[in-house]
Amino acid sequence: MDSRAEIKASLSSIEFHLDEVKIFDYFVSKGIITDRPYDAALKFREFKTQFEKYSIFFDEDLLNILNLKLKEAMSPLITLDIRDFWFHDTTLDKLNKTIDYLEKLPNLKLEKFNFSPEITINDLKNLLSDISEKINIVDDLDLTNFLKKIPSENLEECARNLIQVHNTLYASSTQDPDIINDCYQYFKELKKNIELEQLNEKISTAQDKLIEVRAETGKNSNKKLGEIFKTESEALKCMIRIYTVVIISTFLTLICFLIYFIYNSAVLDKYKFPSDNHFYYFYISLILIITGFLTFIIKERTRLVNHAHYCKISYLEIHALSDYCSELEEKSKIDELKIKLADRYFRGPNPIGEVPSDINNVSLITSKLSEISKAVQEVKSAIK
């Protein structure tokens, strides 16, 4: 059992025996009128309350001293026979010794406090109540409420500062103003930093919320435009499937017909090429028609696939545009971006009338050559 546990056991034992013995009644029965029993009991209860309040701040040496004092006070009590102690001549002597010991119990508030890793915020609040009786630092900085906001990494340094202030106020013969001032400045600066961090967190949270609101607003405003591209992309899927089926079916039919023709002509030798030219004209025309039909179908399917892909990409871009714009701070940049993208969304990937870059380059070269030719002519005329 450690020292704190032994002291708590001793306190409980003394309290129990004091209640059982009824010291004041015994003194009255002997005709002794005195307030010493009451004063001793009051001093003991005050000591017990202080120990429960401050024991976390006591080092092992002080705990051992207190443990010895309590055992001395408890020794006479536990030797009393509660059943017939009223008739013993030694009872008065033992009770007087108990009272003497209890009267000598120290005021624990005046002892030197030490730091312990087990100290909690509630323990520090006990120190604040004592410090506020001597100086105004607690009320000036509102430390009672401020302790609730202190991060765990600052708890030890806060505890050491408060313990030093408590010691200079109660355990020292003279108060050290430097310790008090250092503690005041420490908590003032710490409070300012924590409040600044909390303000930054609130601002950051507000900014995140604003970005979310702006993104949601942008999504709602762009929702109809995005749905148009999405609907168009879904509608094109059906036509693309139909064209795909037609192309595959045509190729399979041609392959089957070709296999059948080769099998009958080469294997069974049943098929004979006719000598009439009209026969060849007909089949050549049929082949050309089928080829043209397939070419048209394939090109049309390719166009629809590209168009569907463009609609799908545009839908995704519009859907992501609001999230991207919500991160931009300047409204002018957002408007400029939307204007640039409007040309893409409303005119398509290949707008009509758009001149290819290579044509522009050729025109540029032609104009430069023309300018050079004019310059040469001017030089010739000037020489003449």
Side-chain angles (χ1 to χ4, degrees):
M1 184 183 296
D2 60 7
S3 300
R4 285 191 180 85
E6 289 183 13
I7 292 175
K8 289 180 180 179
S10 298
L11 290 172
S12 299
S13 179
I14 292 174
E15 188 175 31
F16 172 77
H17 283 84
L18 287 177
D19 291 339
E20 289 292 327
V21 169
K22 296 180 176 57
I23 298 177
F24 183 77
D25 294 341
Y26 180 82
F27 275 81
V28 171
S29 68
K30 296 298 182 180
I32 303 173
I33 306 301
T34 179
D35 290 335
R36 288 188 67 211
Y38 274 137
D39 295 339
L42 185 63
K43 184 65 177 289
F44 170 75
R45 291 189 178 91
E46 182 183 0
F47 177 88
K48 184 173 182 292
T49 301
Q50 287 182 341
F51 182 81
E52 293 172 350
K53 187 177 180 181
Y54 302 120
S55 63
I56 193 67
F57 300 103
F58 299 154
D59 58 15
E60 195 65 27
D61 293 337
L62 179 58
L63 290 174
N64 291 331
I65 293 173
L66 296 177
N67 196 17
L68 291 175
K69 290 181 179 295
L70 288 175
K71 287 182 178 179
E72 289 176 349
M74 187 173 58
S75 178
L77 277 176
I78 61 178
T79 59
L80 290 173
D81 188 350
I82 297 175
R83 292 171 296 179
D84 56 352
F85 79 97
W86 291 73
F87 307 102
H88 285 215
D89 296 334
T90 59
T91 299
L92 183 61
D93 181 56
K94 291 181 178 181
L95 292 179
N96 279 322
K97 285 183 178 180
T98 299
I99 291 173
D100 290 338
Y101 286 128
L102 294 180
E103 288 176 339
K104 294 177 182 178
L105 289 175
N107 184 355
L108 297 181
K109 187 189 292 187
L110 305 180
E111 299 293 335
K112 182 180 179 181
F113 289 1
N114 298 276
F115 174 77
S116 171
E118 300 174 358
I119 291 175
T120 64
I121 297 294
N122 291 330
D123 297 324
L124 297 182
K125 288 181 179 179
N126 294 332
L127 292 183
L128 292 181
S129 61
D130 296 336
I131 294 173
S132 62
E133 296 176 1
K134 297 277 188 175
I135 55 178
N136 295 326
I137 181 176
V138 178
D139 295 330
D140 290 347
L141 297 177
D142 193 20
L143 293 183
T144 304
N145 293 322
F146 176 64
L147 282 179
K148 302 175 184 178
K149 307 174 185 178
I150 292 179
S152 57
E153 59 268 18
N154 298 111
L155 180 60
E156 179 177 346
E157 192 170 1
C158 291
R160 292 187 183 277
N161 276 276
L162 292 177
I163 289 172
Q164 286 183 344
V165 172
H166 186 277
N167 288 338
T168 193
L169 293 176
Y170 288 97
S172 178
S173 57
T174 57
Q175 296 182 8
D176 189 342
D178 292 335
I179 292 178
I180 298 174
N181 183 64
D182 291 343
C183 180
Y184 182 87
Q185 295 299 327
Y186 168 76
F187 277 102
K188 183 179 179 180
E189 188 67 22
L190 180 62
K191 185 177 181 181
K192 183 176 70 174
N193 293 337
I194 291 177
E195 289 176 350
L196 183 60
E197 289 180 1
Q198 291 175 345
L199 179 61
N200 290 334
E201 289 179 0
K202 290 180 180 179
I203 293 174
S204 178
T205 303
Q207 288 177 341
D208 294 340
K209 188 66 177 178
L210 177 61
I211 290 174
E212 291 178 2
V213 172
R214 288 169 60 182
E216 190 64 27
T217 303
K219 288 179 180 178
N220 292 333
S221 62
N222 297 333
K223 185 176 181 180
K224 290 184 178 180
L225 179 61
E227 289 297 327
I228 291 174
F229 284 103
K230 184 179 181 182
T231 303
E232 180 67 13
S233 176
E234 295 293 331
L236 291 174
K237 287 183 179 179
C238 180
M239 291 299 299
I240 292 172
R241 292 194 190 98
I242 293 175
Y243 282 130
T244 303
V245 171
V246 171
I247 292 170
I248 294 175
S249 300
T250 303
F251 272 110
L252 289 177
T253 302
L254 291 175
I255 291 172
C256 292
F257 179 78
L258 183 61
I259 293 173
Y260 175 78
F261 176 77
I262 293 173
Y263 179 76
N264 281 277
S265 60
V267 179
L268 301 180
D269 197 20
K270 292 181 178 180
Y271 186 78
K272 302 295 181 181
F273 288 97
S275 58
D276 190 358
N277 292 332
H278 292 87
F279 173 81
Y280 297 102
Y281 295 154
F282 171 77
Y283 278 101
I284 291 173
S285 300
L286 181 62
I287 291 172
L288 291 175
I289 292 172
I290 294 174
T291 303
F293 175 73
L294 283 175
T295 302
F296 169 77
I297 292 295
I298 292 172
K299 289 182 67 176
E300 185 66 12
R301 181 186 178 279
T302 302
R303 185 186 68 82
L304 293 179
V305 169
N306 292 334
H307 187 57
H309 178 72
Y310 161 74
C311 292
K312 185 66 175 178
I313 292 298
S314 298
Y315 166 74
L316 295 175
E317 288 178 352
I318 293 172
H319 190 70
L321 179 63
S322 55
D323 291 327
Y324 176 72
C325 289
S326 63
E327 299 288 343
L328 299 177
E329 298 294 336
E330 298 181 15
K331 188 176 184 302
S332 59
K333 292 184 178 180
I334 299 176
D335 295 337
E336 183 181 355
L337 176 63
K338 289 182 177 180
I339 291 172
K340 289 181 178 180
L341 293 177
D343 184 72
R344 168 179 168 81
Y345 295 142
F346 297 112
R347 296 180 63 188
N350 295 310
I352 299 174
E354 182 177 339
V355 181
S357 59
D358 54 350
I359 297 177
N360 289 332
N361 293 334
V362 172
S363 300
L364 180 61
I365 294 171
T366 304
S367 63
K368 293 298 181 183
L369 290 174
S370 177
E371 291 178 4
I372 294 171
S373 177
K374 288 180 180 180
V376 170
Q377 294 296 332
E378 290 176 358
V379 171
K380 287 182 177 179
S381 61
I383 293 173
K384 290 179 180 180

